[in-house]
Amino acid sequence: MKTRPQRFLALAQLANSVGDGAFYVTSALYFTRVAGLGPERVGLGLTLAWAVGSLVGVVLGRLADRRGARGTSVLLALGTGAAVGSFLLVRGFVPFVLAACAYACAQSGLAAARQALLAGLVTPGERTGMLARLQSTLNGGLAIGAAAGGLALNAGTATAYRAVFALDVVCFLVCALILLRLPAMTPAAATDERRMHPAPGERRTRPVGGERREQRFAVLRDRPYALVALLNAVLLLRMPLLSLALPLWITERTAAPAWLASALFVLNTGIVMLFQVRAARAVTGIPTAVRALRRSGVVMLASCAVFALSAGRSAWPAALLLVAGAVLQVIAEMQQSAGSWQLSFDLAPADRMGEYQGFFGTGVTVARTLGPLVVTSLLLGWGTPGWLLLGALMPVAACAMGPAARRAAGRARKTATEPEPESNLGLTSESKSKLEPKPLPVAVS
Protein backbone atom coordinates (compact mmCIF):
# COMPACT_ATOMS: atom_id res chain seq x y z
CA MET A 1 0.00 0.00 0.00
CA LYS A 2 1.41 3.36 -0.98
CA THR A 3 2.20 5.92 1.69
CA ARG A 4 1.35 9.60 1.44
CA PRO A 5 4.85 10.60 0.13
CA GLN A 6 4.68 7.84 -2.47
CA ARG A 7 1.28 9.06 -3.66
CA PHE A 8 2.61 12.60 -4.01
CA LEU A 9 5.65 11.32 -5.93
CA ALA A 10 3.31 9.51 -8.32
CA LEU A 11 1.07 12.57 -8.73
CA ALA A 12 4.08 14.77 -9.46
CA GLN A 13 5.26 12.26 -12.06
CA LEU A 14 1.81 12.19 -13.64
CA ALA A 15 1.58 15.99 -13.76
CA ASN A 16 4.81 16.65 -15.61
CA SER A 17 4.51 13.55 -17.86
CA VAL A 18 1.17 14.78 -19.22
CA GLY A 19 2.84 18.03 -20.25
CA ASP A 20 5.87 16.20 -21.61
CA GLY A 21 3.71 13.89 -23.73
CA ALA A 22 2.03 16.84 -25.40
CA PHE A 23 5.37 18.65 -25.80
CA TYR A 24 7.17 15.66 -27.36
CA VAL A 25 4.67 15.10 -30.17
CA THR A 26 4.40 18.78 -31.17
CA SER A 27 7.76 20.41 -30.41
CA ALA A 28 9.52 19.44 -33.65
CA LEU A 29 6.75 20.91 -35.81
CA TYR A 30 6.52 24.00 -33.61
CA PHE A 31 10.24 24.71 -33.98
CA THR A 32 10.17 24.22 -37.76
CA ARG A 33 6.77 25.68 -38.69
CA VAL A 34 6.26 28.40 -36.08
CA ALA A 35 9.76 29.34 -34.87
CA GLY A 36 11.10 29.09 -38.43
CA LEU A 37 14.10 26.83 -37.74
CA GLY A 38 15.37 24.21 -40.17
CA PRO A 39 15.24 20.54 -39.13
CA GLU A 40 19.04 20.28 -39.17
CA ARG A 41 19.38 23.25 -36.85
CA VAL A 42 16.77 21.85 -34.51
CA GLY A 43 18.67 18.55 -34.34
CA LEU A 44 22.01 20.28 -33.80
CA GLY A 45 20.59 22.57 -31.11
CA LEU A 46 19.02 19.69 -29.19
CA THR A 47 22.22 17.64 -29.41
CA LEU A 48 24.23 20.52 -27.95
CA ALA A 49 21.60 21.14 -25.29
CA TRP A 50 21.47 17.54 -24.04
CA ALA A 51 25.26 17.35 -24.05
CA VAL A 52 25.38 20.37 -21.74
CA GLY A 53 22.46 19.04 -19.70
CA SER A 54 24.22 15.73 -19.04
CA LEU A 55 27.14 17.55 -17.42
CA VAL A 56 25.07 20.07 -15.48
CA GLY A 57 22.78 17.27 -14.24
CA VAL A 58 25.62 15.89 -12.09
CA VAL A 59 26.24 19.33 -10.57
CA LEU A 60 22.55 19.87 -9.84
CA GLY A 61 22.28 16.35 -8.40
CA ARG A 62 25.08 17.18 -5.98
CA LEU A 63 23.27 20.43 -5.14
CA ALA A 64 20.25 18.34 -4.16
CA ASP A 65 22.48 16.30 -1.84
CA ARG A 66 23.98 19.40 -0.23
CA ARG A 67 20.94 21.69 -0.04
CA GLY A 68 18.01 19.32 0.16
CA ALA A 69 16.33 17.19 -2.50
CA ARG A 70 12.81 18.56 -2.02
CA GLY A 71 13.67 22.23 -2.36
CA THR A 72 15.99 21.57 -5.29
CA SER A 73 13.30 19.50 -7.04
CA VAL A 74 10.73 22.28 -6.62
CA LEU A 75 13.09 24.93 -8.00
CA LEU A 76 14.09 22.77 -10.95
CA ALA A 77 10.45 21.96 -11.76
CA LEU A 78 9.78 25.70 -11.85
CA GLY A 79 12.94 26.20 -13.92
CA THR A 80 11.85 23.58 -16.43
CA GLY A 81 8.47 25.25 -16.81
CA ALA A 82 10.18 28.60 -17.35
CA ALA A 83 12.46 27.06 -19.98
CA VAL A 84 9.46 25.63 -21.85
CA GLY A 85 7.82 29.05 -21.71
CA SER A 86 10.94 30.66 -23.16
CA PHE A 87 10.54 28.54 -26.31
CA LEU A 88 7.48 30.67 -27.11
CA LEU A 89 9.81 33.66 -27.54
CA VAL A 90 12.39 31.90 -29.73
CA ARG A 91 12.90 33.45 -33.16
CA GLY A 92 16.41 32.37 -34.14
CA PHE A 93 19.02 29.66 -33.76
CA VAL A 94 21.07 31.18 -30.92
CA PRO A 95 18.04 31.94 -28.70
CA PHE A 96 16.79 28.43 -29.45
CA VAL A 97 20.07 26.84 -28.33
CA LEU A 98 20.09 28.92 -25.14
CA ALA A 99 16.49 27.98 -24.33
CA ALA A 100 17.15 24.33 -25.17
CA CYS A 101 20.22 24.29 -22.90
CA ALA A 102 18.17 25.74 -20.05
CA TYR A 103 15.48 23.12 -20.66
CA ALA A 104 17.93 20.19 -20.84
CA CYS A 105 19.84 21.32 -17.74
CA ALA A 106 16.64 21.77 -15.71
CA GLN A 107 15.21 18.44 -16.88
CA SER A 108 18.44 16.53 -16.14
CA GLY A 109 18.79 18.16 -12.73
CA LEU A 110 15.12 17.56 -11.91
CA ALA A 111 15.47 13.85 -12.72
CA ALA A 112 18.53 13.54 -10.45
CA ALA A 113 16.97 15.55 -7.61
CA ARG A 114 13.75 13.51 -7.70
CA GLN A 115 15.75 10.29 -7.58
CA ALA A 116 17.52 11.60 -4.49
CA LEU A 117 14.14 12.62 -3.06
CA LEU A 118 12.76 9.14 -3.67
CA ALA A 119 15.83 7.56 -2.07
CA GLY A 120 15.24 9.60 1.07
CA LEU A 121 11.50 8.97 1.30
CA VAL A 122 11.33 5.29 0.29
CA THR A 123 13.11 2.44 2.03
CA PRO A 124 15.80 0.64 -0.02
CA GLY A 125 13.70 -2.52 -0.32
CA GLU A 126 10.79 -0.57 -1.85
CA ARG A 127 12.69 1.68 -4.28
CA THR A 128 12.63 -0.52 -7.37
CA GLY A 129 8.94 -1.29 -6.90
CA MET A 130 8.19 2.40 -6.45
CA LEU A 131 10.19 3.28 -9.56
CA ALA A 132 8.19 0.67 -11.46
CA ARG A 133 4.95 2.34 -10.34
CA LEU A 134 6.34 5.72 -11.34
CA GLN A 135 7.29 4.31 -14.75
CA SER A 136 3.73 3.06 -15.23
CA THR A 137 2.43 6.47 -14.19
CA LEU A 138 4.88 8.14 -16.57
CA ASN A 139 3.64 6.11 -19.52
CA GLY A 140 0.02 6.81 -18.64
CA GLY A 141 0.73 10.54 -18.46
CA LEU A 142 2.65 10.48 -21.75
CA ALA A 143 -0.29 8.77 -23.44
CA ILE A 144 -2.74 11.40 -22.13
CA GLY A 145 -0.41 14.21 -23.15
CA ALA A 146 0.22 12.69 -26.57
CA ALA A 147 -3.54 12.59 -27.15
CA ALA A 148 -3.77 16.29 -26.28
CA GLY A 149 -0.83 17.00 -28.56
CA GLY A 150 -2.59 15.08 -31.33
CA LEU A 151 -5.45 17.55 -31.18
CA ALA A 152 -2.96 20.37 -31.75
CA LEU A 153 -1.37 18.47 -34.64
CA ASN A 154 -4.80 17.99 -36.18
CA ALA A 155 -5.52 21.71 -35.90
CA GLY A 156 -2.08 22.57 -37.27
CA THR A 157 -2.18 26.24 -36.20
CA ALA A 158 0.42 28.29 -34.36
CA THR A 159 -2.12 29.01 -31.63
CA ALA A 160 -2.69 25.29 -31.07
CA TYR A 161 1.05 24.63 -30.79
CA ARG A 162 1.48 27.50 -28.33
CA ALA A 163 -1.40 26.14 -26.26
CA VAL A 164 0.47 22.85 -25.93
CA PHE A 165 3.58 24.63 -24.66
CA ALA A 166 1.42 26.60 -22.21
CA LEU A 167 -0.08 23.30 -21.01
CA ASP A 168 3.43 21.94 -20.38
CA VAL A 169 4.31 25.05 -18.35
CA VAL A 170 1.19 24.63 -16.22
CA CYS A 171 1.94 20.95 -15.69
CA PHE A 172 5.41 21.73 -14.33
CA LEU A 173 3.90 24.35 -12.02
CA VAL A 174 1.49 21.71 -10.70
CA CYS A 175 4.40 19.29 -10.34
CA ALA A 176 6.30 21.85 -8.24
CA LEU A 177 3.30 22.45 -5.98
CA ILE A 178 2.89 18.71 -5.41
CA LEU A 179 6.59 18.24 -4.64
CA LEU A 180 6.33 21.11 -2.15
CA ARG A 181 3.86 19.03 -0.12
CA LEU A 182 6.40 16.26 0.43
CA PRO A 183 8.21 16.18 3.79
CA ALA A 184 11.49 18.04 3.98
CA MET A 185 14.66 15.96 4.09
CA THR A 186 17.92 16.57 5.92
CA PRO A 187 20.56 17.51 3.34
CA ALA A 188 23.65 15.32 3.14
CA ALA A 189 25.72 18.37 4.05
CA ALA A 190 24.03 18.57 7.44
CA THR A 191 24.48 14.83 7.95
CA ASP A 192 28.19 15.11 7.16
CA GLU A 193 28.50 18.06 9.55
CA ARG A 194 27.02 16.00 12.39
CA ARG A 195 29.37 13.15 11.61
CA MET A 196 32.42 15.41 11.57
CA HIS A 197 31.32 17.47 14.60
CA PRO A 198 29.21 15.19 16.83
CA ALA A 199 27.57 16.10 20.08
CA PRO A 200 29.60 15.62 23.30
CA GLY A 201 30.05 11.94 24.06
CA GLU A 202 29.49 10.83 20.45
CA ARG A 203 32.23 9.41 18.27
CA ARG A 204 33.17 11.18 15.08
CA THR A 205 32.77 8.99 12.00
CA ARG A 206 33.57 9.18 8.34
CA PRO A 207 30.82 9.97 5.82
CA VAL A 208 29.22 6.91 4.20
CA GLY A 209 30.86 6.23 0.85
CA GLY A 210 34.43 6.61 2.03
CA GLU A 211 35.05 10.00 0.49
CA ARG A 212 35.95 13.00 2.61
CA ARG A 213 33.28 15.63 2.46
CA GLU A 214 35.82 18.15 1.11
CA GLN A 215 36.08 16.05 -2.06
CA ARG A 216 33.56 17.15 -4.63
CA PHE A 217 31.95 15.10 -7.40
CA ALA A 218 33.33 11.80 -6.22
CA VAL A 219 31.28 10.02 -8.88
CA LEU A 220 33.67 11.29 -11.55
CA ARG A 221 36.46 9.30 -9.85
CA ASP A 222 34.36 6.21 -9.16
CA ARG A 223 35.44 4.13 -12.15
CA PRO A 224 33.46 0.96 -11.28
CA TYR A 225 30.22 2.94 -11.03
CA ALA A 226 31.09 4.84 -14.21
CA LEU A 227 31.54 1.52 -16.05
CA VAL A 228 28.09 0.36 -14.89
CA ALA A 229 26.60 3.66 -16.13
CA LEU A 230 28.38 3.28 -19.48
CA LEU A 231 27.08 -0.26 -20.00
CA ASN A 232 23.60 0.96 -19.11
CA ALA A 233 23.94 3.68 -21.76
CA VAL A 234 24.65 0.94 -24.33
CA LEU A 235 21.49 -0.90 -23.27
CA LEU A 236 19.52 2.34 -23.63
CA LEU A 237 20.29 2.51 -27.35
CA ARG A 238 16.89 0.82 -27.68
CA MET A 239 15.25 4.16 -26.86
CA PRO A 240 15.19 5.62 -30.42
CA LEU A 241 13.68 2.45 -31.90
CA LEU A 242 9.99 3.27 -31.40
CA SER A 243 10.21 7.00 -31.97
CA LEU A 244 12.62 7.10 -34.91
CA ALA A 245 14.00 3.85 -36.33
CA LEU A 246 10.81 1.79 -36.63
CA PRO A 247 8.71 4.51 -38.35
CA LEU A 248 11.44 4.87 -40.98
CA TRP A 249 11.96 1.11 -41.23
CA ILE A 250 8.24 0.47 -41.69
CA THR A 251 7.83 3.01 -44.47
CA GLU A 252 11.10 2.30 -46.30
CA ARG A 253 11.76 -1.42 -45.85
CA THR A 254 8.32 -3.05 -45.45
CA ALA A 255 4.85 -2.88 -47.02
CA ALA A 256 3.18 -2.44 -43.62
CA PRO A 257 0.98 0.68 -43.24
CA ALA A 258 2.67 3.79 -41.82
CA TRP A 259 0.12 4.08 -39.00
CA LEU A 260 1.52 0.88 -37.53
CA ALA A 261 4.36 2.95 -36.05
CA SER A 262 1.84 4.82 -33.88
CA ALA A 263 0.12 1.55 -32.95
CA LEU A 264 3.44 0.06 -31.79
CA PHE A 265 4.05 3.10 -29.60
CA VAL A 266 0.61 2.72 -28.01
CA LEU A 267 1.23 -1.00 -27.54
CA ASN A 268 4.53 -0.31 -25.78
CA THR A 269 2.97 2.31 -23.51
CA GLY A 270 0.05 0.08 -22.57
CA ILE A 271 2.21 -2.94 -21.72
CA VAL A 272 4.52 -0.85 -19.54
CA MET A 273 1.52 0.63 -17.73
CA LEU A 274 0.09 -2.80 -17.01
CA PHE A 275 3.15 -4.95 -16.35
CA GLN A 276 6.15 -2.83 -15.28
CA VAL A 277 5.35 -3.19 -11.57
CA ARG A 278 4.98 -6.96 -11.93
CA ALA A 279 8.23 -7.21 -13.88
CA ALA A 280 10.10 -5.33 -11.15
CA ARG A 281 8.92 -7.49 -8.24
CA ALA A 282 11.60 -10.13 -8.76
CA VAL A 283 14.37 -7.51 -8.61
CA THR A 284 15.32 -7.11 -4.95
CA GLY A 285 19.09 -6.71 -4.93
CA ILE A 286 22.24 -6.65 -7.02
CA PRO A 287 22.22 -10.39 -7.97
CA THR A 288 18.60 -10.33 -9.13
CA ALA A 289 19.20 -7.03 -10.95
CA VAL A 290 22.11 -8.56 -12.87
CA ARG A 291 19.98 -11.58 -13.82
CA ALA A 292 17.19 -9.30 -15.04
CA LEU A 293 19.66 -7.38 -17.20
CA ARG A 294 21.02 -10.60 -18.70
CA ARG A 295 17.52 -11.74 -19.60
CA SER A 296 16.86 -8.32 -21.07
CA GLY A 297 19.89 -8.56 -23.34
CA VAL A 298 18.89 -11.99 -24.68
CA VAL A 299 15.27 -10.92 -25.29
CA MET A 300 16.44 -7.73 -27.00
CA LEU A 301 18.58 -9.82 -29.36
CA ALA A 302 15.50 -11.89 -30.22
CA SER A 303 13.48 -8.71 -30.76
CA CYS A 304 16.02 -7.28 -33.21
CA ALA A 305 16.11 -10.59 -35.11
CA VAL A 306 12.31 -10.57 -35.47
CA PHE A 307 12.33 -6.94 -36.62
CA ALA A 308 14.96 -7.87 -39.23
CA LEU A 309 12.71 -10.63 -40.61
CA SER A 310 10.09 -8.02 -41.58
CA ALA A 311 12.30 -6.59 -44.33
CA GLY A 312 10.68 -6.87 -47.76
CA ARG A 313 7.54 -8.57 -46.45
CA SER A 314 4.03 -7.78 -47.60
CA ALA A 315 1.67 -5.85 -45.36
CA TRP A 316 0.17 -8.48 -43.07
CA PRO A 317 3.25 -10.71 -42.55
CA ALA A 318 5.37 -7.61 -41.92
CA ALA A 319 2.81 -6.22 -39.47
CA LEU A 320 2.66 -9.49 -37.51
CA LEU A 321 6.46 -9.66 -37.29
CA LEU A 322 6.69 -6.02 -36.23
CA VAL A 323 4.11 -6.51 -33.50
CA ALA A 324 5.93 -9.63 -32.27
CA GLY A 325 9.23 -7.75 -32.25
CA ALA A 326 7.64 -4.85 -30.38
CA VAL A 327 6.28 -7.20 -27.69
CA LEU A 328 9.73 -8.74 -27.20
CA GLN A 329 11.25 -5.26 -27.13
CA VAL A 330 8.97 -4.01 -24.37
CA ILE A 331 9.64 -7.16 -22.30
CA ALA A 332 13.37 -6.44 -22.60
CA GLU A 333 12.72 -2.79 -21.76
CA MET A 334 10.87 -3.60 -18.52
CA GLN A 335 13.58 -6.03 -17.38
CA GLN A 336 16.35 -3.58 -18.23
CA SER A 337 14.60 -0.72 -16.44
CA ALA A 338 14.08 -2.71 -13.24
CA GLY A 339 17.65 -4.02 -13.18
CA SER A 340 19.25 -0.65 -13.88
CA TRP A 341 17.15 1.13 -11.24
CA GLN A 342 18.27 -1.34 -8.59
CA LEU A 343 21.95 -1.03 -9.50
CA SER A 344 21.86 2.77 -9.72
CA PHE A 345 20.67 3.01 -6.10
CA ASP A 346 22.44 0.05 -4.50
CA LEU A 347 25.86 1.00 -5.87
CA ALA A 348 25.63 4.69 -4.91
CA PRO A 349 26.71 6.15 -1.55
CA ALA A 350 23.72 7.17 0.55
CA ASP A 351 25.02 10.71 1.11
CA ARG A 352 25.69 11.35 -2.61
CA MET A 353 22.53 9.90 -4.08
CA GLY A 354 21.61 12.96 -6.16
CA GLU A 355 25.12 13.31 -7.56
CA TYR A 356 25.33 9.62 -8.50
CA GLN A 357 21.80 9.53 -9.93
CA GLY A 358 22.61 12.60 -12.01
CA PHE A 359 25.64 10.81 -13.44
CA PHE A 360 23.75 7.55 -14.04
CA GLY A 361 21.05 9.51 -15.84
CA THR A 362 23.56 10.67 -18.44
CA GLY A 363 22.97 7.29 -20.08
CA VAL A 364 19.55 8.58 -21.16
CA THR A 365 21.21 11.71 -22.53
CA VAL A 366 23.74 9.64 -24.47
CA ALA A 367 20.92 7.56 -25.93
CA ARG A 368 19.01 10.70 -26.90
CA THR A 369 22.11 12.33 -28.39
CA LEU A 370 23.99 9.51 -30.11
CA GLY A 371 21.24 6.89 -30.33
CA PRO A 372 19.45 8.33 -33.38
CA LEU A 373 22.69 8.52 -35.37
CA VAL A 374 23.85 5.03 -34.35
CA VAL A 375 20.49 3.35 -34.81
CA THR A 376 19.59 4.91 -38.15
CA SER A 377 23.08 4.24 -39.56
CA LEU A 378 22.95 0.59 -38.53
CA LEU A 379 19.34 -0.23 -39.36
CA LEU A 380 18.61 1.86 -42.43
CA GLY A 381 22.14 1.73 -43.79
CA TRP A 382 22.91 -1.96 -43.22
CA GLY A 383 19.44 -3.47 -43.02
CA THR A 384 19.27 -6.98 -41.57
CA PRO A 385 22.98 -7.16 -40.59
CA GLY A 386 22.52 -3.87 -38.75
CA TRP A 387 19.59 -5.26 -36.74
CA LEU A 388 21.63 -8.34 -35.82
CA LEU A 389 24.66 -6.27 -34.84
CA LEU A 390 22.56 -4.00 -32.64
CA GLY A 391 20.86 -7.02 -31.11
CA ALA A 392 24.18 -8.79 -30.41
CA LEU A 393 25.48 -5.68 -28.66
CA MET A 394 22.74 -5.93 -26.04
CA PRO A 395 23.56 -9.32 -24.43
CA VAL A 396 27.27 -8.49 -24.54
CA ALA A 397 26.69 -5.28 -22.56
CA ALA A 398 24.19 -7.02 -20.27
CA CYS A 399 26.57 -9.88 -19.45
CA ALA A 400 29.38 -7.40 -18.76
CA MET A 401 27.11 -5.80 -16.15
CA GLY A 402 27.69 -8.74 -13.77
CA PRO A 403 31.46 -8.28 -13.25
CA ALA A 404 31.12 -4.50 -13.36
CA ALA A 405 28.39 -4.47 -10.69
CA ARG A 406 30.32 -6.87 -8.43
CA ARG A 407 33.41 -4.69 -8.67
CA ALA A 408 31.41 -1.56 -7.90
CA ALA A 409 29.65 -3.29 -4.98
CA GLY A 410 32.99 -4.50 -3.58
CA ARG A 411 34.43 -1.02 -3.72
CA ALA A 412 31.31 0.45 -2.11
CA ARG A 413 31.53 -2.03 0.79
CA LYS A 414 35.25 -1.41 1.23
CA THR A 415 34.96 2.38 1.33
CA ALA A 416 31.86 2.32 3.54
CA THR A 417 33.55 0.14 6.21
CA GLU A 418 37.06 1.58 5.97
CA PRO A 419 38.00 3.00 9.42
CA GLU A 420 39.03 6.60 9.75
CA PRO A 421 42.71 7.18 10.60
CA GLU A 422 43.44 7.50 14.31
CA SER A 423 44.87 10.96 13.89
CA ASN A 424 41.55 12.13 12.49
CA LEU A 425 39.61 10.53 15.30
CA GLY A 426 41.80 12.05 17.97
CA LEU A 427 42.32 8.75 19.81
CA THR A 428 45.44 7.75 21.68
CA SER A 429 46.65 4.17 21.77
CA GLU A 430 45.39 3.84 25.31
CA SER A 431 41.94 5.21 24.58
CA LYS A 432 41.75 3.09 21.44
CA SER A 433 42.39 -0.06 23.44
CA LYS A 434 39.51 0.85 25.74
CA LEU A 435 37.15 1.07 22.76
CA GLU A 436 38.10 -2.32 21.36
CA PRO A 437 35.59 -5.10 22.16
CA LYS A 438 36.75 -7.66 24.72
CA PRO A 439 36.58 -11.36 23.82
CA LEU A 440 33.59 -13.20 25.23
CA PRO A 441 34.12 -16.37 27.28
CA VAL A 442 33.65 -19.54 25.29
CA ALA A 443 31.67 -22.38 26.79
CA VAL A 444 33.30 -25.77 26.38
CA SER A 445 31.08 -28.83 26.35
Side-chain angles (χ1 to χ4, degrees), residues 239-258:
M239 291 181 64
L241 290 182
L242 282 174
S243 61
L244 179 64
L246 280 174
L248 296 174
W249 176 264
I250 290 170
T251 55
E252 294 184 14
R253 296 299 185 95
T254 77

Side-chain angles (χ1 to χ4, degrees), residues 321-341:
L321 287 169
L322 289 166
V323 169
V327 171
L328 291 171
Q329 189 267 334
V330 74
I331 292 172
E333 174 186 335
M334 292 187 294
Q335 292 289 318
Q336 186 270 330
S337 296
S340 63
W341 293 333

